[in-house]
Amino acid sequence: LNYMNDKHYMHGATYLGPALHDTVDKLEKAVHAGRKEVVIVFTDGEFTDLSKSKYKKYPDEEAALKKLKNLGVDVHAVIIHPVSASTAAIARLKDENEHVVTEPVDEHMHIAPVTDLRATVLSKLCTEYIPPPVDECEDTQPGAACAAASPPQTCVDPSPAMGDWTCNCTVGTRRAGTGRQSLAVCEYDECEPGMPGDACVQIGQNCVDPKPTAGAQGNYVCTCAAPRAGPKGVGKPAGPCELDECTDGDGKACQEAGQACVD
């Protein structure tokens, strides 16, 4: 930072707040797509910034740390102590500095004697970055195609591994179907309860869906239920469904008595 910003943040103590504020400013102006940003705070806690109580709660420091973490930046603290430092002194350094680092503290705080910097600190900081798991069913991921289908399907992402999401048939299906990395082929019976053809059933008509698939909607056929008769309806109720009372109703009594019946 001293080199990049042509500033010096150390005047008897390290002014961490202003230093982090300038770091935030740089990160907000830069575009680092696909990269993991890491801020490392090196401190000799025995003599400077973080171990000094009057700087520990420096307002700019707290605000800058919050902004860094909101940006997804991992903040590490590297605390260098004299070889002769006591166990109690080292424990105090950890306690005074843990508010700076990203959780979990043990993975982001590195304490080492000044003579052992490379072996104990750099080896931890240079480990491979493992990105967080991605839910492939989120709106910005390929699995969003499931919910966008007509009718909508359910997306399931069973593990953090990439490429294992599936689309599954949901409402109005007689038989479950699953599509791996694609839409499922679902049976879509429009005569089932809750589907459009169910309106025919509710008024006493017959309903048949000759091609129960999601790609063939509106082709269900409704017919009048015997003894009523009338024109069938495709994608709508049949009708009007009429009853000939001389043939199928009480008018049969006329014929049985040798009389003519007219409806």
Side-chain angles (χ1 to χ4, degrees):
L1 284 172
N2 289 341
Y3 172 75
M4 290 191 301
N5 298 334
D6 193 26
K7 292 183 180 180
H8 206 289
Y9 301 99
M10 299 176 68
H11 301 279
T14 300
Y15 290 84
L16 182 63
L20 291 176
H21 178 78
D22 288 343
T23 304
V24 171
D25 187 58
K26 280 186 171 293
L27 289 173
E28 288 181 331
K29 293 177 180 177
V31 178
H32 295 149
R35 289 174 50 183
K36 179 63 180 178
E37 302 294 347
V38 178
V39 168
I40 306 172
V41 179
F42 284 88
T43 176
D44 172 1
E46 295 259 311
F47 305 105
T48 56
D49 57 350
L50 304 180
S51 67
K52 302 288 186 179
S53 59
K54 68 177 181 178
Y55 297 114
K56 182 175 180 181
K57 295 300 180 182
Y58 193 81
D60 280 354
E61 175 185 317
E62 294 294 324
L65 285 169
K66 184 176 180 179
K67 284 185 177 181
L68 281 173
K69 293 171 183 178
N70 288 341
L71 287 171
V73 176
D74 281 351
V75 182
H76 293 257
V78 178
I79 305 169
I80 309 302
H81 63 79
V83 177
S84 59
S86 66
T87 302
I90 294 172
R92 177 176 56 82
L93 290 176
K94 180 177 180 180
D95 179 64
E96 291 176 345
N97 291 298
E98 63 182 11
H99 75 288
V100 173
V101 301
T102 303
E103 296 286 346
V105 171
D106 289 342
E107 293 182 12
H108 296 84
M109 180 179 291
H110 315 288
I111 304 176
V114 69
T115 57
D116 199 22
L117 178 61
R118 181 179 298 275
T120 60
V121 177
L122 297 185
S123 62
K124 294 181 180 179
L125 294 180
C126 295
T127 55
E128 179 183 1
Y129 168 64
I130 301 175
V134 174
D135 184 349
E136 295 182 281
C137 293
E138 291 181 348
D139 292 343
T140 58
Q141 297 300 318
C146 304
S150 180
Q153 298 182 11
T154 301
C155 180
V156 176
D157 187 3
S159 76
M162 300 299 289
D164 61 347
W165 59 276
T166 61
C167 288
N168 299 270
C169 303
T170 50
V171 177
T173 57
R174 292 188 309 194
R175 184 180 64 196
T178 299
R180 184 177 176 85
Q181 295 186 7
S182 66
L183 295 179
V185 177
C186 306
E187 286 200 356
Y188 185 77
D189 191 336
E190 295 182 281
C191 294
E192 286 189 352
M195 303 304 289
D198 185 44
C200 302
V201 178
Q202 295 301 316
I203 59 174
Q205 297 182 7
N206 303 313
C207 180
V208 176
D209 190 349
K211 192 175 182 181
T213 63
Q217 297 182 43
N219 65 331
Y220 63 93
V221 179
C222 294
T223 57
C224 299
R228 294 182 179 273
K232 68 180 180 180
V234 178
K236 62 181 181 179
C241 295
E242 299 176 339
L243 177 68
D244 187 340
E245 294 181 282
C246 293
T247 304
D248 300 304
D250 294 338
K252 288 181 178 181
C254 301
Q255 295 177 342
E256 292 171 355
Q259 300 175 9
C261 178
V262 177
D263 186 358

PDB file of all heavy atoms in Angstrom, residues 224-230 240-252 262-263:
ATOM      1  N   CYS A 224     -70.309 -36.393 -24.085  1.00  0.00           N
ATOM      2  CA  CYS A 224     -71.493 -36.473 -23.219  1.00  0.00           C
ATOM      3  C   CYS A 224     -71.573 -37.862 -22.581  1.00  0.00           C
ATOM      4  O   CYS A 224     -71.282 -38.878 -23.220  1.00  0.00           O
ATOM      5  CB  CYS A 224     -72.744 -36.221 -24.031  1.00  0.00           C
ATOM      6  SG  CYS A 224     -72.799 -34.588 -24.810  1.00  0.00           S
ATOM      7  N   ALA A 225     -71.966 -37.904 -21.354  1.00  0.00           N
ATOM      8  CA  ALA A 225     -72.124 -39.179 -20.651  1.00  0.00           C
ATOM      9  C   ALA A 225     -73.504 -39.756 -20.954  1.00  0.00           C
ATOM     10  O   ALA A 225     -74.519 -39.039 -20.931  1.00  0.00           O
ATOM     11  CB  ALA A 225     -71.949 -38.978 -19.153  1.00  0.00           C
ATOM     12  N   ALA A 226     -73.530 -41.060 -21.308  1.00  0.00           N
ATOM     13  CA  ALA A 226     -74.810 -41.729 -21.606  1.00  0.00           C
ATOM     14  C   ALA A 226     -75.748 -41.619 -20.400  1.00  0.00           C
ATOM     15  O   ALA A 226     -75.299 -41.615 -19.249  1.00  0.00           O
ATOM     16  CB  ALA A 226     -74.541 -43.187 -21.949  1.00  0.00           C
ATOM     17  N   PRO A 227     -77.050 -41.454 -20.645  1.00  0.00           N
ATOM     18  CA  PRO A 227     -77.719 -41.608 -21.958  1.00  0.00           C
ATOM     19  C   PRO A 227     -77.790 -40.320 -22.770  1.00  0.00           C
ATOM     20  O   PRO A 227     -78.386 -40.291 -23.843  1.00  0.00           O
ATOM     21  CB  PRO A 227     -79.109 -42.084 -21.563  1.00  0.00           C
ATOM     22  CG  PRO A 227     -79.370 -41.408 -20.254  1.00  0.00           C
ATOM     23  CD  PRO A 227     -78.047 -41.375 -19.540  1.00  0.00           C
ATOM     24  N   ARG A 228     -77.198 -39.245 -22.290  1.00  0.00           N
ATOM     25  CA  ARG A 228     -77.245 -38.002 -23.042  1.00  0.00           C
ATOM     26  C   ARG A 228     -76.314 -38.091 -24.250  1.00  0.00           C
ATOM     27  O   ARG A 228     -75.332 -38.839 -24.252  1.00  0.00           O
ATOM     28  CB  ARG A 228     -76.846 -36.828 -22.154  1.00  0.00           C
ATOM     29  CG  ARG A 228     -77.848 -36.575 -21.022  1.00  0.00           C
ATOM     30  CD  ARG A 228     -77.465 -35.367 -20.185  1.00  0.00           C
ATOM     31  NE  ARG A 228     -78.445 -35.144 -19.137  1.00  0.00           N
ATOM     32  CZ  ARG A 228     -79.560 -34.426 -19.286  1.00  0.00           C
ATOM     33  NH1 ARG A 228     -79.820 -33.869 -20.459  1.00  0.00           N
ATOM     34  NH2 ARG A 228     -80.404 -34.266 -18.291  1.00  0.00           N
ATOM     35  N   ALA A 229     -76.601 -37.288 -25.277  1.00  0.00           N
ATOM     36  CA  ALA A 229     -75.803 -37.301 -26.500  1.00  0.00           C
ATOM     37  C   ALA A 229     -75.626 -35.871 -26.990  1.00  0.00           C
ATOM     38  O   ALA A 229     -76.447 -34.986 -26.704  1.00  0.00           O
ATOM     39  CB  ALA A 229     -76.464 -38.156 -27.568  1.00  0.00           C
ATOM     40  N   GLY A 230     -74.537 -35.653 -27.711  1.00  0.00           N
ATOM     41  CA  GLY A 230     -74.266 -34.321 -28.254  1.00  0.00           C
ATOM     42  C   GLY A 230     -72.884 -34.280 -28.852  1.00  0.00           C
ATOM     43  O   GLY A 230     -72.110 -35.247 -28.742  1.00  0.00           O
ATOM     44  N   PRO A 240     -74.160 -28.950 -26.803  1.00  0.00           N
ATOM     45  CA  PRO A 240     -74.994 -29.308 -25.643  1.00  0.00           C
ATOM     46  C   PRO A 240     -75.322 -30.796 -25.604  1.00  0.00           C
ATOM     47  O   PRO A 240     -75.524 -31.418 -26.640  1.00  0.00           O
ATOM     48  CB  PRO A 240     -76.250 -28.464 -25.843  1.00  0.00           C
ATOM     49  CG  PRO A 240     -76.328 -28.266 -27.319  1.00  0.00           C
ATOM     50  CD  PRO A 240     -74.914 -28.151 -27.800  1.00  0.00           C
ATOM     51  N   CYS A 241     -75.344 -31.352 -24.410  1.00  0.00           N
ATOM     52  CA  CYS A 241     -75.653 -32.772 -24.222  1.00  0.00           C
ATOM     53  C   CYS A 241     -77.158 -32.898 -23.954  1.00  0.00           C
ATOM     54  O   CYS A 241     -77.662 -32.371 -22.953  1.00  0.00           O
ATOM     55  CB  CYS A 241     -74.862 -33.342 -23.052  1.00  0.00           C
ATOM     56  SG  CYS A 241     -73.073 -33.365 -23.328  1.00  0.00           S
ATOM     57  N   GLU A 242     -77.856 -33.570 -24.865  1.00  0.00           N
ATOM     58  CA  GLU A 242     -79.309 -33.651 -24.781  1.00  0.00           C
ATOM     59  C   GLU A 242     -79.765 -35.082 -24.505  1.00  0.00           C
ATOM     60  O   GLU A 242     -79.063 -36.039 -24.842  1.00  0.00           O
ATOM     61  CB  GLU A 242     -79.929 -33.145 -26.088  1.00  0.00           C
ATOM     62  CG  GLU A 242     -79.581 -31.682 -26.364  1.00  0.00           C
ATOM     63  CD  GLU A 242     -80.106 -31.217 -27.706  1.00  0.00           C
ATOM     64  OE1 GLU A 242     -80.368 -32.091 -28.566  1.00  0.00           O
ATOM     65  OE2 GLU A 242     -80.248 -29.992 -27.899  1.00  0.00           O
ATOM     66  N   LEU A 243     -80.953 -35.174 -23.917  1.00  0.00           N
ATOM     67  CA  LEU A 243     -81.534 -36.478 -23.584  1.00  0.00           C
ATOM     68  C   LEU A 243     -82.841 -36.656 -24.358  1.00  0.00           C
ATOM     69  O   LEU A 243     -83.753 -35.835 -24.249  1.00  0.00           O
ATOM     70  CB  LEU A 243     -81.803 -36.567 -22.081  1.00  0.00           C
ATOM     71  CG  LEU A 243     -82.491 -37.852 -21.598  1.00  0.00           C
ATOM     72  CD1 LEU A 243     -81.543 -39.043 -21.768  1.00  0.00           C
ATOM     73  CD2 LEU A 243     -82.908 -37.709 -20.137  1.00  0.00           C
ATOM     74  N   ASP A 244     -82.979 -37.717 -25.178  1.00  0.00           N
ATOM     75  CA  ASP A 244     -84.228 -38.028 -25.887  1.00  0.00           C
ATOM     76  C   ASP A 244     -85.102 -38.816 -24.915  1.00  0.00           C
ATOM     77  O   ASP A 244     -84.879 -40.002 -24.667  1.00  0.00           O
ATOM     78  CB  ASP A 244     -83.928 -38.849 -27.143  1.00  0.00           C
ATOM     79  CG  ASP A 244     -85.183 -39.054 -27.992  1.00  0.00           C
ATOM     80  OD1 ASP A 244     -86.297 -38.908 -27.451  1.00  0.00           O
ATOM     81  OD2 ASP A 244     -85.023 -39.367 -29.189  1.00  0.00           O
ATOM     82  N   GLU A 245     -86.118 -38.135 -24.386  1.00  0.00           N
ATOM     83  CA  GLU A 245     -86.939 -38.754 -23.329  1.00  0.00           C
ATOM     84  C   GLU A 245     -87.806 -39.899 -23.860  1.00  0.00           C
ATOM     85  O   GLU A 245     -88.271 -40.737 -23.088  1.00  0.00           O
ATOM     86  CB  GLU A 245     -87.815 -37.705 -22.671  1.00  0.00           C
ATOM     87  CG  GLU A 245     -87.017 -36.667 -21.897  1.00  0.00           C
ATOM     88  CD  GLU A 245     -87.925 -35.646 -21.246  1.00  0.00           C
ATOM     89  OE1 GLU A 245     -88.406 -34.738 -21.954  1.00  0.00           O
ATOM     90  OE2 GLU A 245     -88.167 -35.771 -20.019  1.00  0.00           O
ATOM     91  N   CYS A 246     -88.025 -39.923 -25.207  1.00  0.00           N
ATOM     92  CA  CYS A 246     -88.824 -41.017 -25.764  1.00  0.00           C
ATOM     93  C   CYS A 246     -88.007 -42.299 -25.872  1.00  0.00           C
ATOM     94  O   CYS A 246     -88.569 -43.400 -25.847  1.00  0.00           O
ATOM     95  CB  CYS A 246     -89.358 -40.635 -27.156  1.00  0.00           C
ATOM     96  SG  CYS A 246     -90.572 -39.295 -27.115  1.00  0.00           S
ATOM     97  N   THR A 247     -86.697 -42.131 -26.026  1.00  0.00           N
ATOM     98  CA  THR A 247     -85.839 -43.304 -26.185  1.00  0.00           C
ATOM     99  C   THR A 247     -85.194 -43.714 -24.874  1.00  0.00           C
ATOM    100  O   THR A 247     -85.111 -44.904 -24.549  1.00  0.00           O
ATOM    101  CB  THR A 247     -84.737 -43.010 -27.236  1.00  0.00           C
ATOM    102  OG1 THR A 247     -85.362 -42.605 -28.454  1.00  0.00           O
ATOM    103  CG2 THR A 247     -83.883 -44.234 -27.481  1.00  0.00           C
ATOM    104  N   ASP A 248     -84.751 -42.722 -24.116  1.00  0.00           N
ATOM    105  CA  ASP A 248     -83.951 -43.034 -22.930  1.00  0.00           C
ATOM    106  C   ASP A 248     -84.584 -42.534 -21.640  1.00  0.00           C
ATOM    107  O   ASP A 248     -84.005 -42.711 -20.575  1.00  0.00           O
ATOM    108  CB  ASP A 248     -82.554 -42.410 -23.082  1.00  0.00           C
ATOM    109  CG  ASP A 248     -81.831 -42.948 -24.305  1.00  0.00           C
ATOM    110  OD1 ASP A 248     -81.692 -44.187 -24.399  1.00  0.00           O
ATOM    111  OD2 ASP A 248     -81.415 -42.136 -25.158  1.00  0.00           O
ATOM    112  N   GLY A 249     -85.744 -41.887 -21.752  1.00  0.00           N
ATOM    113  CA  GLY A 249     -86.345 -41.343 -20.546  1.00  0.00           C
ATOM    114  C   GLY A 249     -87.698 -41.963 -20.238  1.00  0.00           C
ATOM    115  O   GLY A 249     -88.027 -43.068 -20.685  1.00  0.00           O
ATOM    116  N   ASP A 250     -88.487 -41.196 -19.492  1.00  0.00           N
ATOM    117  CA  ASP A 250     -89.800 -41.692 -19.072  1.00  0.00           C
ATOM    118  C   ASP A 250     -90.771 -41.870 -20.239  1.00  0.00           C
ATOM    119  O   ASP A 250     -91.812 -42.529 -20.118  1.00  0.00           O
ATOM    120  CB  ASP A 250     -90.397 -40.729 -18.044  1.00  0.00           C
ATOM    121  CG  ASP A 250     -89.601 -40.716 -16.743  1.00  0.00           C
ATOM    122  OD1 ASP A 250     -88.892 -41.723 -16.497  1.00  0.00           O
ATOM    123  OD2 ASP A 250     -89.678 -39.723 -16.001  1.00  0.00           O
ATOM    124  N   GLY A 251     -90.422 -41.276 -21.421  1.00  0.00           N
ATOM    125  CA  GLY A 251     -91.301 -41.402 -22.590  1.00  0.00           C
ATOM    126  C   GLY A 251     -91.420 -42.822 -23.107  1.00  0.00           C
ATOM    127  O   GLY A 251     -92.310 -43.122 -23.930  1.00  0.00           O
ATOM    128  N   LYS A 252     -90.588 -43.718 -22.638  1.00  0.00           N
ATOM    129  CA  LYS A 252     -90.685 -45.126 -23.041  1.00  0.00           C
ATOM    130  C   LYS A 252     -92.051 -45.703 -22.675  1.00  0.00           C
ATOM    131  O   LYS A 252     -92.554 -46.624 -23.321  1.00  0.00           O
ATOM    132  CB  LYS A 252     -89.588 -45.945 -22.362  1.00  0.00           C
ATOM    133  CG  LYS A 252     -88.194 -45.705 -22.903  1.00  0.00           C
ATOM    134  CD  LYS A 252     -87.193 -46.590 -22.186  1.00  0.00           C
ATOM    135  CE  LYS A 252     -85.783 -46.417 -22.720  1.00  0.00           C
ATOM    136  NZ  LYS A 252     -84.815 -47.305 -22.041  1.00  0.00           N
ATOM    137  N   VAL A 262     -93.271 -38.162 -28.790  1.00  0.00           N
ATOM    138  CA  VAL A 262     -92.471 -37.100 -29.440  1.00  0.00           C
ATOM    139  C   VAL A 262     -91.842 -36.236 -28.340  1.00  0.00           C
ATOM    140  O   VAL A 262     -92.551 -35.753 -27.455  1.00  0.00           O
ATOM    141  CB  VAL A 262     -93.365 -36.240 -30.368  1.00  0.00           C
ATOM    142  CG1 VAL A 262     -92.507 -35.103 -30.968  1.00  0.00           C
ATOM    143  CG2 VAL A 262     -93.995 -37.090 -31.452  1.00  0.00           C
ATOM    144  N   ASP A 263     -90.548 -36.079 -28.428  1.00  0.00           N
ATOM    145  CA  ASP A 263     -89.840 -35.217 -27.468  1.00  0.00           C
ATOM    146  C   ASP A 263     -89.493 -33.923 -28.208  1.00  0.00           C
ATOM    147  O   ASP A 263     -88.528 -33.917 -28.985  1.00  0.00           O
ATOM    148  CB  ASP A 263     -88.565 -35.910 -26.957  1.00  0.00           C
ATOM    149  CG  ASP A 263     -87.899 -35.088 -25.842  1.00  0.00           C
ATOM    150  OD1 ASP A 263     -88.389 -33.987 -25.510  1.00  0.00           O
ATOM    151  OD2 ASP A 263     -86.871 -35.555 -25.307  1.00  0.00           O
TER     152      ASP A 263
END
